[in-house]
Amino acid sequence: LFYTDPIREHLNTRTGVSIFDESHMGLIEIEGDDAAKFVDYLSSPNVDEDGIRPFNPGDVQYRFLLGDNGDVIDDIQVAKVAEDRFVLIVNAGNTDAAKAWINEKVKGVLSGFDCSITDLRDAKNEDDRRIIFALQGTNGSQDILQQLTDSDLERLNYFKCAYVDLTIGGKKVKR
């Protein structure tokens, strides 16, 4: 989906700021005491296997969602929201396959893990539903976002995440 032409939009993002609706991406939350272990079970590399690459709350890692034989189901991003809470961001074209595989694992092995799985796009509780808008660009995207929140966004860099309250059009937007 584009509104002018791809080259013009690309150049605008590279020289200014563009907003993208990425709500088609999968958002799967894994929460609980064993959430990190379950994320490790589903994907590679491990959360903090060797201590060389610590994975702290607010960090995002690029990973592979792996099948039973080590085959790659999808490349994903994993956001560590808290010590016991992770959000998997799954590519749009593979969302259904990734969800089906995770749900299969939930039925088979989740009983061994103390955690819960929630599809944040289809959560039963409206307050838990999420969409993704990406404000991207090299010239001012963080400045624009900072005007919409009282949270300090200075610490947000490449592969970092945060839940913040935003005010858009005079209305509070949850996270």
Side-chain angles (χ1 to χ4, degrees):
L1 176 65
F2 57 90
Y3 296 98
T4 57
D5 69 83
I7 294 172
R8 186 172 170 193
E9 290 184 9
H10 168 79
L11 292 173
N12 185 75
T13 304
R14 287 303 199 189
T15 60
V17 178
S18 301
I19 190 166
F20 299 93
D21 180 357
E22 295 185 357
S23 298
H24 57 282
M25 302 288 282
L27 288 172
I28 301 167
E29 181 180 71
I30 301 174
E31 185 173 22
D33 289 341
D34 290 336
K37 290 179 187 174
F38 192 64
V39 169
D40 281 347
Y41 177 83
L42 296 173
S43 63
S44 177
N46 286 351
V47 169
D48 191 13
E49 183 174 87
D50 50 19
I52 294 172
R53 218 170 58 133
F55 194 27
N56 300 309
D59 289 347
V60 177
Q61 286 185 347
Y62 178 72
R63 292 174 158 237
F64 294 104
L65 187 63
L66 300 176
D68 290 329
N69 297 319
D71 52 315
V72 176
I73 294 170
D74 197 7
D75 61 325
I76 62 174
Q77 293 181 35
V78 177
K80 185 172 186 178
V81 179
E83 288 298 333
D84 62 349
R85 186 172 168 216
F86 297 81
V87 175
L88 281 58
I89 301 134
V90 181
N91 288 306
N94 284 332
T95 297
D96 291 339
K99 279 176 40 179
W101 189 83
I102 291 170
N103 284 331
E104 177 186 319
K105 295 302 143 195
V106 165
K107 291 175 187 168
V109 300
L110 187 60
S111 62
F113 295 93
D114 181 16
C115 60
S116 62
I117 313 296
T118 305
D119 181 340
L120 295 177
R121 293 182 319 160
D122 298 323
K124 291 178 180 143
N125 181 350
E126 253 184 58
D127 288 340
D128 292 335
R129 288 188 198 146
R130 298 287 181 264
I131 59 172
I132 303 174
F133 284 109
L135 189 65
Q136 299 177 8
T138 58
N139 193 9
S141 59
Q142 191 161 338
D143 295 336
I144 291 170
L145 278 178
Q146 189 60 72
Q147 292 175 39
L148 303 174
T149 184
D150 292 330
S151 298
D152 180 14
L153 301 181
E154 192 63 36
R155 63 186 170 83
L156 287 181
N157 291 311
Y158 187 65
F159 271 72
K160 297 290 182 185
C161 69
Y163 278 94
V164 299
D165 291 325
L166 300 175
T167 302
I168 300 174
K171 304 242 184 227
K172 285 271 188 194
V173 178
K174 191 170 186 161
R175 298 188 191 186

